[in-house]
Amino acid sequence: MVQLSRRSLLAAAGAASVAGLAAGCGDDGSEGGAGLDDKKAGAMESFKAGDQFKATEPLKFSIMMLSNQAYPYKADWPMLAELTKRTNVTLEATAIPGSDYNQKRSVMVSAGNAPFIIPKTYHPDEEAYIAGGAIIAVSDYIDLMPHYKDKVARWNLQGNLDGYKQQDGKYYLLPGLHEGPWQDYSLAVRTDIMTKLGLQSPATWDDLTTVLREMKKAYPAVYPFSDRWSTPPQPGANNLLGILSTAYGTYAGWAYRNQSWDATANKFVFPGASDAYRQMLTYLNTLVTEKLLDPESFTQTDDIARQKFANGKSFVISANAQTVVNEARKDIAKIPGATVAKMILPTGPMGPTLSGDSRLENGVMISKAALESKNFVAMMQFIDWLWYSDAGLMFSKWGIEGDTYTGKVEDGSFKLNPQIKWAGLNPGAPKDLQVDYGFFNGVFAYGGSTAMLNSQFSDEEKAFQAEMNKRQTRPVDPPAPLTVEEREQMTLWGTALKDHVNQQTLRFILGQRPLSEWDAYVKELQGKNMDKYLDTMNKAHERFKGNK
C-alpha cells in the first residue's frame, strides 16, 4: 500500500474534495444524479434493474486492465468486440502484467493519471488514495446503479458494506457481490498415494498431520507437503497460512490483517499476538520439525514447488479449482497411475465454519477524472450492467449464448460449448475460454448468484462446494471508520507491525526462533505501537456506534 502524504494541506484538500461530492446526497448517502445534468451524454434516460445497458451514442471509457500471465490481454478478444456491440462502449485498456499491477496502479492513481475505471482492487487498498482526492466516493452514486442496489438489498449485504465505510460515512470501492460465502482455496493431494497407503481424506488439520506422518514413513526421503504461493516478496504471507488461520479463528498469510473482532471481549484485538496465532504457529512448527512440511514452502517460487510435485518429491500442495485441473493434473501426467484431487478443507479449533468476508470480492475504483466527464452517468450505468447485472455477469463469465454456451444457469441446463475448455470443463477442447475469447478474465468476472457460481464448477468441484456450504458462516468484523489523520498514522504503524509479524512468523515456523520467546515477541509488537493501533481502532468503532 502506498503511504499517504503527511501534509495537512493535502489531507484538507482531499477532504474538501470529498465533501464537495457529497452535496445534494439523499438520506441513503447516494447522490442519485443530483448535480449531474451536464454529465449525462450517452446515458440511457431510463435504466432500471433487468435492463440491458446500451449507450445512446458511441462512447469510449479508459480502463486499467490486469493482464494475467495464463491468458495475457489481447485487444482483439471476441469478448471486447461483443461488449461494444451490446453496449455501444469501447474500452480503451491500459494493460498491466499481474506482477506489476498493484505497484503501477498506485503510481498512476497517486499521480492523478489513472484510467477512469480501476478494477481488480482489494479492500482496503483504496484507502491509500482517499485523502488526496484521486478517487471518488462511489457510494454517492449508487442510485445510478440499479442492479448493484438490487443485489445489495436482496442479498442483505449492507452490513458487509458497512465495513468499507470511512469516517465520512462513505465508501470508495465497488466490490464484487456474492449471494453467499464460498471457499475456493484448499490443498491438493496425490490420491493414488492415499489409496496405496490406505489413508482416509483428513477431516481436521490434526488428521492431516497423521496422513503426512504415514506418507513420511512410507517415503522417508520425501517432504510429503511442499507448498507454493509464498513469493514475492512476503515470506510470511501465503495461502497455507490463510486457510489454516481460518481454522484457528484468526488471520494470517494472505488473509492477514492487523485487527480482528473479539466478540467475547467486545473489542478489536491484534491477531498476530493472539493465543490462536501462537497455536497455529506451533502446529506448523511441528510439521517442519518432523520434516512433514518442506521448510522451503515459505520462500520457494511456484515453479519450484510445482516441479517437486510433478517429480514425486511431494504429495500435497496448495490449490484451487482451476489449478488442480490446469496445473496439478498436467504436472503429474508423466507419473504412471498418479491422480490428484482437492481435499475438503480441514477444520480446526473453530470447527466447521467459514469467514463471512468471502461475500465481497475485489472491486472497482473510479478516478476523480471520470466525474469530470460529460459521460459520467453513462459510465456508471455501464459499470452497473457489466459487473452487477445477471446478464452482464453471464456475458463476462461465459460469453455469447448459442456460441460459447447454451442453456441457463438458473435451471441447471447450462452447458459450455464442447469445443471450448475452462478449468475442469471440457479439458480436452481445442479452444480456451480465457486465452482465445477473453471471457472469465478476472477483471470483470467475479461475484454473482450461487447458481452462477455453481455453473463454473465441474461435478468434482460441486461436491467440494456442497461440503463447504454445510459450514456455518462467521460474522464479519464490525465497522471502525478512521479519520484522514488517523488513517495516515495507522498506515505507518500498520505497515511496521505487519512486516514484523510476517518476519517473525516465518522464524517461529522454521524453528529459527523458539516459541518460548513468544512473550518477548509480543513486547516487540508493543514497542511498534500495537497498543496504540488497537486503541485507535476501538475508539473509531465506539465513535461509529455513537454516530449511527
Side-chain angles (χ1 to χ4, degrees):
M1 183 181 293
V2 174
Q3 291 184 2
L4 301 174
S5 168
R6 305 189 71 177
R7 292 174 294 178
S8 59
L9 286 176
L10 179 59
S17 173
V18 171
L21 295 180
C25 289
D27 292 339
D28 63 353
S30 59
E31 182 151 324
L36 298 174
D37 289 342
D38 60 342
K39 304 180 189 300
K40 296 181 178 179
M44 294 175 62
E45 184 174 349
S46 174
F47 182 59
K48 59 186 183 300
D51 287 350
Q52 162 71 51
F53 170 78
K54 189 161 189 178
T56 59
E57 61 184 75
L59 300 177
K60 293 182 179 180
F61 298 134
S62 57
I63 184 171
M64 194 172 293
M65 178 76 71
L66 182 145
S67 183
N68 193 297
Q69 183 179 3
Y71 39 93
Y73 169 77
K74 298 176 183 176
D76 62 351
W77 269 336
M79 182 267 180
L80 298 174
E82 181 67 19
L83 182 64
T84 299
K85 179 181 176 182
R86 295 190 182 200
T87 65
N88 215 10
V89 170
T90 299
L91 290 176
E92 297 180 320
T94 299
I96 302 172
S99 59
D100 297 330
Y101 191 79
N102 288 349
Q103 180 180 2
K104 291 193 175 180
R105 180 193 61 200
S106 295
V107 171
M108 295 177 73
V109 174
S110 298
N113 58 6
F116 283 6
I117 304 172
I118 311 165
K120 210 65 179 176
T121 299
Y122 289 83
H123 177 72
D125 287 359
E126 79 279 8
E127 293 179 355
Y129 314 115
I130 295 173
I135 59 174
I136 68 171
V138 291
S139 57
D140 281 345
Y141 303 99
I142 60 172
D143 276 351
L144 303 176
M145 306 180 68
H147 296 97
Y148 175 86
K149 287 188 68 176
D150 174 65
K151 282 182 167 54
V152 168
R154 283 194 295 113
W155 295 348
N156 194 28
L157 287 166
Q158 191 56 59
N160 297 67
L161 288 168
D162 281 346
Y164 281 45
K165 288 181 178 179
Q166 303 303 308
Q167 201 273 335
D168 57 9
K170 306 171 188 292
Y171 55 91
Y172 293 74
L173 179 72
L174 289 167
L177 308 176
H178 285 281
E179 182 178 9
W182 72 292
Q183 177 70 37
D184 186 14
Y185 288 83
S186 184
L187 303 175
V189 62
R190 280 277 300 277
T191 46
D192 59 308
I193 300 295
M194 297 281 287
T195 300
K196 180 179 178 179
L197 299 179
L199 300 172
Q200 300 296 316
S201 183
T204 68
W205 286 95
D206 286 340
D207 291 342
L208 176 63
T209 303
T210 301
V211 166
L212 295 175
R213 284 171 177 160
E214 292 301 312
M215 289 178 169
K216 184 69 175 179
K217 189 183 302 181
Y219 300 90
V222 165
Y223 281 110
F225 188 179
S226 186
D227 212 16
R228 63 181 303 182
W229 288 331
S230 292
T231 59
Q234 302 175 71
N238 67 358
N239 171 63
L240 173 58
L241 282 161
I243 58 176
L244 183 59
S245 66
T246 297
Y248 279 84
T250 187
Y251 297 100
W254 281 352
Y256 185 74
R257 60 183 68 173
N258 281 323
Q259 70 281 337
S260 63
W261 183 251
D262 185 328
T264 301
N266 200 35
K267 65 179 181 179
F268 284 101
V269 297
F270 195 82
S274 66
D275 188 59
Y277 201 93
R278 182 187 58 79
Q279 292 177 33
M280 178 193 70
L281 296 185
T282 301
Y283 174 85
L284 289 171
N285 176 256
T286 298
L287 297 188
V288 171
T289 301
E290 295 187 22
K291 297 185 177 180
L292 307 178
L293 175 62
D294 185 353
E296 294 182 356
S297 293
F298 302 93
T299 53
Q300 67 190 355
T301 65
D302 277 14
D303 287 344
I304 291 176
R306 288 178 60 187
Q307 286 171 15
K308 291 177 180 179
F309 193 75
N311 294 331
K313 294 182 179 179
S314 70
F315 306 133
V316 179
I317 190 170
S318 277
N320 60 30
Q322 291 194 56
T323 61
V324 168
V325 176
N326 294 342
E327 297 177 358
R329 287 189 176 141
K330 293 179 181 178
D331 289 345
I332 63 171
K334 66 180 181 181
I335 303 177
T339 55
V340 61
K342 189 170 75 166
M343 70 173 66
I344 301 299
L345 186 66
T347 61
M350 293 298 291
T353 62
L354 292 175
S355 169
D357 294 328
S358 63
R359 295 192 68 198
L360 298 184
E361 264 271 17
N362 68 84
V364 179
M365 297 187 296
I366 306 298
S367 72
K368 181 182 178 182
L371 185 59
E372 300 166 3
S373 168
K374 66 179 181 179
N375 306 125
F376 176 76
V377 172
M379 187 192 73
M380 298 302 290
Q381 292 177 344
F382 168 78
I383 290 171
D384 180 63
W385 179 82
L386 183 57
W387 271 273
Y388 299 104
S389 75
D390 290 343
L393 287 165
M394 193 68 190
F395 169 75
S396 62
K397 288 192 176 189
W398 295 120
I400 306 166
E401 186 174 5
D403 183 2
T404 58
Y405 75 91
T406 58
K408 307 292 183 184
V409 300
E410 294 83 4
D411 61 12
S413 63
F414 166 83
K415 297 291 183 184
L416 183 63
N417 183 327
Q419 297 301 305
I420 302 173
K421 62 187 173 185
W422 183 84
L425 304 179
N426 307 331
K431 293 285 189 179
D432 187 289
L433 187 69
Q434 295 169 311
V435 175
D436 299 306
Y437 290 87
F439 295 109
F440 235 122
N441 61 39
V443 174
F444 313 105
Y446 47 79
S449 67
T450 299
M452 185 170 290
L453 181 67
N454 287 338
S455 73
Q456 69 194 63
F457 298 145
S458 63
D459 290 341
E460 175 185 10
E461 181 63 17
K462 287 177 182 176
F464 175 89
Q465 293 298 329
E467 289 299 317
M468 293 297 100
N469 290 338
K470 294 176 183 177
R471 301 188 178 184
Q472 182 179 359
T473 303
R474 301 203 298 265
V476 297
D477 290 352
L482 303 172
T483 65
V484 172
E485 294 79 10
E486 287 171 339
R487 192 182 305 112
E488 290 191 23
Q489 182 61 72
M490 293 284 274
T491 298
L492 296 174
W493 288 340
T495 299
L497 287 165
K498 182 177 181 180
D499 287 347
H500 193 67
V501 169
N502 281 337
Q503 292 164 6
Q504 300 309 308
T505 290
L506 183 59
R507 295 186 66 205
F508 281 128
I509 291 171
L510 298 183
Q512 297 168 352
R513 183 174 190 179
L515 281 156
S516 59
E517 293 186 10
W518 181 260
D519 290 343
Y521 156 73
V522 172
K523 288 182 180 179
E524 291 162 9
L525 293 173
Q526 291 171 337
K528 295 181 181 295
N529 300 297
M530 178 183 72
D531 293 338
K532 291 180 180 178
Y533 185 98
L534 290 174
D535 185 57
T536 303
M537 286 294 302
N538 285 309
K539 286 180 177 178
H541 173 63
E542 291 301 318
R543 182 175 62 220
F544 172 83
K545 289 198 302 182
N547 291 337
K548 286 188 70 175

